[in-house]
Amino acid sequence: MKASVIATFFGVLLTCTYAAKEATKKTKKAKLYIPQIDCDVKAGKIINPEFIAKCPPGCQDVKYRVYGTDIYASFSSVCSAAIHSGAIDNTGGKILVQKVAGHAGYRGSFSNGVRSLSLPRWRESFLVSEGKPRKGVTYPSTLEFASSKSTAVKPEPKKPEQDLKVTKSAATSDTSGKAWEQGSSSVHPAYSSVAAAASRQVQASQGRGLNKAFRGTSTSASNRNILRPNAGIQRQEPVATFRRPAGSPAHLAIETDLWKPGLSFFDTGFASKEELNLKPLEATSQGNPSCKVDLSFLMDGSWSIGKRRFQLQKQFLINVAHALGINNAGPLMGIVQYGDDPSTEFNLKTYASPKELRNAIEKIPQKGGLSNVGKALSFVNKNFFSDANGNRGGAPNVVVVMVDGWPTDRVEEASRLARESGINIFFVTIEAAAQNEKQNVIEPNFVDKAVCRTNGFYSITVPSWFSLHKVVQPLVKRVCDIDRLVCSKTCLNSADIGFVIDGSSSVGTGNFRTVLQFVANISKEFEISDTDTRIGAIQYTYEQRLEFSFDKYSTKQDVLSAIKRINYWSGGTSTGAAISYASEQLFTKSKPNKRKIMILITDGRSYDDVRMPALTAHQNGVIAYSIGVAWAAQDELEAIATDPDKEHSFFVDEFDNLYQFVNPLIQNICTEFNSQPRN
C-alpha cells in the first residue's frame, strides 16, 4: 500500500514538473531575428524609422561614404557610419539605427579609421549605436526598402541566431525644383524638404548654483593705474540680452541677426527672467558630446587689471570649465595668458576634467605688462591649434578673448588671419572705455574688427569685473552653438569660386540670362565674405572680360546683384584662352588657404585647344568643373574637368535644365572638402 502511494506521489510530481517546463517554453519570448545589410546600404533607402540590423565585416572602406559626426545624413552608409561612431568595428556586428529630423549642417571628422565628410544640409538624419533593443520597442525582422519589395528573414533550424541578408534597393535620385529668383531668402528647391535641425543627442544636466564668491556687489574702483586715465570710474553700459526667436531657422548659409541690443544683464537690484534660470551645467564623466569644441581662452594678465580682478578672472574661467563639462568626449580647453607677450599656460590635451582645470587655473600667476591682444591672437593662430597641442581636427576652433578695457595694440590684421584659418573669435570686454576715455583707444571699434561676425553673437560687454559671473551661461551657450560657429572651416566658407561663362553668339540673350540665374543659384548656397567664400566671374567669346574679381564684393547680396548686372557679349568660342585668362586674372589672386574652384559653362566646341590650359590650371591646384549645354563637346568637357572627370563634368541638352546641376555640384564640392588640397 505504501509503495503504491509513494509511486503515485512521484508520478504526480513528475507530471507537474513536466507541465511547468512546457508552460515555460510556451511563454518564452520568441527570438529576435536580425536582418543583415550590406556595407553600401544607405539609411535613406530603409523606410523603417527605427531598426536593428547586422553589418558584415569590411565596411571600413573609403568607397562607403559617410556625412556628419554623431548625427549622420541619411544618404550615408549605415555600417560605415556605425564604425565612425564607435558602435562597431571593421569586423561588423549588430547596430541600432534611429531616424531623426534633417540637420542644418553636418561636420566631417576622422574617427575609428573612417573619415566622414561635411555637408551643408540634408532632409533626414540618423543616429547609430550598439545593437541593444530599447525597452518597449518592437523591431522588425524584415526591413522595408524604398522602391523595393521587402525580403523576409527565414530562420535556419541549426543556427537560429544567424542573421540573414536583406537585399537592398537600387539607388533612386532626388528630384529638385526649378531655379529660384535672385535675392530671395528661400533655399533652392533641391533642399526644400529639409526639416528643422536635429535635437542635440545629449542634453546637459542642470547643476549647482553660481559660485557664491560672486554673489556680492562691489563699489571698488578700477585699477587702471598704468596706461589709462580716469581710474576709479565705474561704467555702466547697455549690453545685449540673449533671446533666440522661437522657430528661428538653422541654416548655415543665411546670416540672421538674432542677438539684438536690449535690456542689460547687469541692471542693479533686479535679475532678468532668463538670468534667474541660468545655472552651471553639472560636469559629468562623459562630458558634453553635443558641445565638441576646441577652446582657447586668451587671459588678460596686464597690470591694468590688478590682482583682485585677476583672481575674479581666474574664478570665471573655473566656472566656465565646470559649466562646459570639460572632457575628451566633449569640449576641451586651454589657456594662453597675454601681457607684453603671450605664453601658453596649458594646451588642449593637458587637462581633461573641470577638477584638473580648477587646480591648474588657481596656480596661474599674473604676467603683467601691456594688453597686447593682437600679438596674442597671432600667437594662437600660429601655435595653439596644432595636432601636437591636442587639436582634434573635426572640432571647431574657438578663441575667447578676455580684455580689460581695450587692447594696447592693433587687432584687425591678426584677427583677419585667424578667422581665415577657421578660428571663431569671441570677445568678452570688461569695463570698456567710457566716453571720456575713448581718445585713448588705439583702434576704435576693435571688437567689430576682431570677432567672427558683427551681429552681437560673438561679443559680450560686461560693465564690471564683479558682474562677470553673470555671463558664464550665455558664453557657454554661444560657444556650444556649433551650427552658428560660422568661421569654422566648412565646404561653404573656404573657397574662391571662379565662374567662367560662355558669352558666344550661339548662346543667345534669353539663354544667357538662364546661365546667370544658374550661377546665382550656386553662389547663394555659400557663405560669402572677405574671409569666407569669395566669388569671381569671367565672360568669354574670342576675347575675355573680367566681370568682377574675388576681392570686389564681400557680401552675398552684392555678389548676386553683380551677377544680375552682367551684360551678354556675343561672339566666338575660345574656351582654352578663357581658362588661361581665369588662371591669370582670378586664381593667381586666390588666398593661400582657400580652395580654388573653377566652374566653366559652355554650349559648344572651342575654336582653340583646351587641354594644355586645363592641365596647367589643374597643376596649379584649381579644381575644375565643366558644364556643357546643347552642342558642347564631351571630350573637351572631360579634358577641362578635374579627375575623375566623370564626377566633375556635366552635360544637359537644354539651358532650362541647368537647375538640375545645382544640387549635385554643391554635394560634390562638399564631398571633396576633406580630400582635396586647400590651396
Side-chain angles (χ1 to χ4, degrees):
M1 181 68 179
K2 286 184 178 180
S4 176
V5 171
I6 292 171
T8 302
F9 173 78
F10 278 108
V12 172
L13 181 63
L14 289 171
T15 301
C16 291
T17 303
Y18 177 80
K21 286 183 178 179
E22 287 299 308
T24 302
K25 287 181 181 179
K26 289 180 181 179
T27 57
K28 191 175 181 180
K29 288 185 178 180
K31 198 76 173 180
L32 174 64
Y33 295 107
I34 300 171
Q36 180 168 314
I37 57 177
D38 293 328
C39 295
D40 59 351
V41 171
K42 299 175 182 178
K45 302 304 177 187
I46 300 175
I47 295 175
N48 307 79
E50 183 171 341
F51 58 92
I52 293 177
K54 184 176 181 182
C55 292
C59 294
Q60 190 182 47
D61 193 304
V62 292
K63 66 183 179 181
Y64 306 124
R65 297 286 177 83
V66 179
Y67 300 83
T69 301
D70 299 328
I71 298 177
Y72 302 96
S74 64
F75 71 106
S76 303
S77 159
V78 175
C79 293
S80 192
I83 296 173
H84 182 272
S85 71
I88 59 173
D89 58 22
N90 199 37
T91 61
K94 291 186 289 186
I95 58 171
L96 169 64
V97 176
Q98 297 168 281
K99 300 284 191 69
V100 294
H103 205 44
Y106 299 85
R107 291 184 299 106
S109 64
F110 185 83
S111 179
N112 302 314
V114 174
R115 178 168 294 283
S116 68
L117 306 175
S118 299
L119 189 73
R121 61 194 67 81
W122 195 246
R123 63 178 179 271
E124 185 184 52
S125 309
F126 69 99
L127 309 175
V128 60
S129 56
E130 293 181 8
K132 296 179 180 178
R134 295 194 301 137
K135 289 185 178 179
V137 179
T138 302
Y139 294 94
S141 58
T142 299
L143 297 182
E144 188 177 1
F145 285 84
S147 303
S148 176
K149 293 182 179 179
S150 59
T151 304
V153 175
K154 299 177 181 179
E156 294 180 10
K158 293 183 180 180
K159 298 180 180 179
E161 295 184 12
Q162 181 175 341
D163 305 317
L164 301 179
K165 283 192 177 181
V166 178
T167 58
K168 71 181 184 69
S169 66
T172 58
S173 59
D174 297 319
T175 57
S176 57
K178 288 280 185 181
W180 67 101
E181 292 302 317
Q182 295 178 18
S184 170
S185 61
S186 62
V187 299
H188 186 269
Y191 298 120
S192 61
S193 61
V194 178
S199 300
R200 299 292 186 194
Q201 282 185 279
V202 180
Q203 296 294 330
S205 60
Q206 294 297 315
R208 295 185 291 274
L210 292 167
N211 192 298
K212 293 182 180 180
F214 287 154
R215 288 298 184 191
T217 59
S218 172
T219 57
S220 299
S222 174
N223 186 25
R224 300 174 185 273
N225 54 4
I226 304 298
L227 294 169
R228 300 165 190 170
N230 303 309
I233 300 175
Q234 184 165 335
R235 294 170 296 283
Q236 298 287 337
E237 297 186 359
V239 298
T241 55
F242 311 103
R243 305 191 197 99
R244 183 185 293 276
S248 58
H251 192 292
L252 289 179
I254 298 177
E255 185 68 20
T256 53
D257 185 1
L258 301 181
W259 304 86
K260 303 291 186 184
L263 297 176
S264 172
F265 268 136
F266 311 103
D267 293 337
T268 56
F270 298 95
S272 68
K273 183 178 178 181
E274 183 170 347
E275 181 194 330
L276 291 173
N277 295 326
L278 295 179
K279 297 178 181 179
L281 302 175
E282 185 74 27
T284 65
S285 59
Q286 282 74 37
N288 184 4
S290 65
C291 178
K292 190 174 181 180
V293 296
D294 288 343
L295 181 64
S296 172
F297 272 87
L298 294 192
M299 185 181 189
D300 191 342
S302 64
W303 290 129
S304 69
I305 192 175
K307 292 184 178 180
R308 184 178 182 187
R309 288 165 177 77
F310 187 75
Q311 293 302 317
L312 291 176
Q313 182 178 208
K314 286 166 50 171
Q315 186 60 54
F316 172 76
L317 296 176
I318 290 169
N319 288 350
V320 169
H322 177 80
L324 284 167
I326 297 297
N327 189 274
N328 286 324
L332 291 178
M333 176 175 162
I335 290 180
V336 171
Q337 185 182 173
Y338 69 91
D340 290 335
D341 296 295
S343 61
T344 301
E345 298 294 343
F346 51 84
N347 61 36
L348 294 167
K349 67 179 183 181
T350 309
Y351 304 110
S353 73
K355 183 177 180 181
E356 292 176 327
L357 280 165
R358 170 187 283 275
N359 295 335
I361 292 169
E362 287 175 345
K363 296 174 183 177
I364 295 176
Q366 187 175 2
K367 287 174 64 70
L370 303 176
S371 297
N372 289 334
V373 175
K375 187 180 287 188
L377 284 168
S378 294
F379 174 84
V380 168
N381 186 27
K382 295 175 183 177
N383 302 292
F384 189 85
F385 293 107
S386 65
D387 294 343
N389 288 335
N391 185 50
R392 291 175 287 184
N397 294 156
V398 177
V399 167
V400 179
V401 181
M402 308 286 295
V403 61
D404 176 52
W406 58 89
T408 53
D409 63 348
R410 295 187 177 275
V411 303
E412 184 174 12
E413 181 64 12
S415 300
R416 182 183 65 80
L417 294 173
R419 295 195 306 271
E420 289 180 356
S421 296
I423 297 173
N424 296 273
I425 301 176
F426 288 78
F427 256 69
V428 179
T429 307
I430 306 98
E431 299 183 10
Q435 193 63 39
N436 60 349
E437 291 179 316
K438 288 186 177 179
Q439 70 272 13
N440 300 311
V441 179
I442 293 176
E443 193 173 26
N445 301 318
F446 65 88
V447 172
D448 284 349
K449 293 176 181 178
V451 293
C452 184
R453 290 289 187 274
T454 58
N455 59 2
F457 179 77
Y458 291 90
S459 57
I460 298 176
T461 304
V462 188
S464 166
W465 282 96
F466 301 98
S467 301
L468 191 58
H469 66 283
K470 296 183 180 182
V471 301
V472 171
Q473 282 292 335
L475 180 62
V476 167
K477 287 181 181 179
R478 296 186 189 197
V479 300
C480 288
D481 193 351
I482 294 175
D483 287 341
R484 297 202 68 197
L485 299 182
V486 293
C487 280
S488 299
K489 289 286 185 189
T490 71
C491 58
L492 298 179
N493 67 8
S494 58
D496 281 344
I497 301 177
F499 289 94
V500 181
I501 306 167
D502 185 348
S504 62
S505 302
S506 59
V507 175
T509 304
N511 288 333
F512 188 76
R513 304 314 301 176
T514 302
V515 171
L516 294 184
Q517 183 68 61
F518 172 70
V519 170
N521 289 345
I522 293 172
S523 299
K524 66 172 60 177
E525 287 298 310
F526 290 86
E527 297 166 20
I528 297 172
S529 78
D530 58 340
T531 58
D532 294 317
T533 289
R534 303 185 304 168
I535 305 292
I538 286 170
Q539 185 182 175
Y540 73 94
T541 58
Y542 284 125
E543 300 177 286
Q544 306 84 36
R545 183 168 73 196
L546 178 64
E547 299 293 352
F548 54 89
S549 58
F550 291 137
D551 58 1
K552 181 71 173 178
Y553 302 110
S554 58
T555 70
K556 185 177 296 186
Q557 191 55 53
D558 286 346
V559 167
L560 296 178
S561 297
I563 293 169
K564 188 176 182 179
R565 292 194 302 268
I566 296 176
N567 292 317
Y568 176 47
W569 202 356
S570 185
T573 309
S574 294
T575 306
I579 295 171
S580 297
Y581 184 83
S583 295
E584 295 167 5
Q585 297 298 318
L586 280 179
F587 295 110
T588 57
K589 299 175 176 61
S590 185
K591 293 186 177 181
N593 60 341
K594 298 291 185 183
R595 297 173 68 223
K596 296 184 282 192
I597 297 175
M598 179 177 72
I599 301 175
L600 185 145
I601 308 114
T602 182
D603 80 327
R605 182 174 289 277
S606 177
Y607 294 166
D608 61 356
D609 176 61
V610 301
R611 287 166 177 76
M612 286 309 298
L615 179 60
T616 301
H618 299 163
Q619 290 172 343
N620 289 329
V622 175
I623 303 167
Y625 290 86
S626 59
I627 300 171
V629 188
W631 300 279
Q634 187 65 38
D635 60 324
E636 289 186 348
L637 295 177
E638 293 177 0
I640 293 167
T642 295
D643 288 333
D645 51 55
K646 298 296 184 184
E647 295 180 10
H648 294 82
S649 63
F650 302 87
F651 178 83
V652 68
D653 54 354
E654 295 180 2
F655 284 93
D656 287 342
N657 292 327
L658 274 173
Y659 74 93
Q660 297 175 357
F661 293 148
V662 173
N663 191 18
L665 265 172
I666 300 297
Q667 287 186 15
N668 195 290
I669 288 170
C670 288
T671 297
E672 289 190 327
F673 177 70
N674 288 317
S675 58
Q676 292 288 342
R678 301 178 190 177
N679 301 300

